Amino acid sequence: VLANASRKEIERNKSQIKAFAKVGKAPSFPYDFENILGPVDRSEDNLNDAVSKLTFDKDNVAYGLFWFNNASFIDEETLRRVKENSLDYAINYLASCGCSSYSAYINMGAISLLSSNWVCAAYCYTRLFETQNIWNQYVHSITDNPSSLSIDDAIDTLADNLIKYSPSTNWIKIFRNTSFKISTRNIDYGDKLKTSKLYSVLATKYITTITNEIDSLLAKAKGISTSDANANLGMATELEQSCRNSLTTLKDSLGNNDSTYVR
């Protein structure tokens, strides 16, 4: 279902999946996007997991940030292009329309994540959280409970998920080193990315993740007996490889002039 699907639509699809399962089959739906995401596994466990994640308004709003909305004819045309596997055309279409609606930002953000266009995704989610009015419109499209998820809580959840599901992506570097121009108006949005609340939260979480990894390796090294030469050599090799990568990522994230972790 779409992120702004009604409870009736969700229940209808759930019933249809269960009915098909009884005869050993699985239905297909208009927004499966199998051409992009691959075959959908509609096992009983997956169905129950999906239903549990759509039970509460707070979860609906949080998960809806990663999926498509259909709130206008512009969204309808965008989804048509996604079905045709024309992700670049879908992004260009949304950009050319110059639309500043919650659904445009979420749809473009979801497409950007699917196509690994991290810079565009950063722009879309930053704009979504920029004003309370746009955020309220989005929440209202999901639920009648406006207090189900605040902007601050949504940013925190989104940051956790971006780090969890794209661990190889250096989000801090993307926000810091980006000069993003809005094609229809030729506006440089890079400065707003660097000063956004989303960047601030991401940076804190991302740097904490890296430093925790380094601390964990150092603690592991301290636990090795000094008399075990082979274990020490193996640990030294692991430290050299892992810490070098982590420290390089940390330096890229903070910039050359930051001395927070200099010892």
Side-chain angles (χ1 to χ4, degrees), residues 6 8 24 32 58-59 61 85 89-90 136 145 149 157 159 191 225 229 248 255:
S6 66
K8 183 178 180 179
D32 284 348
K58 180 179 179 180
D59 292 334
V61 174
N85 202 16
Y89 285 110
N136 288 345
N145 180 10
L149 193 67
T157 300
D191 288 341
S225 172
T248 298

Side-chain angles (χ1 to χ4, degrees), residues 224-237:
I224 295 176
S225 172
T226 55
S227 62
D228 190 337
N230 289 331
N232 276 274
L233 179 60
M235 191 68 240
T237 302

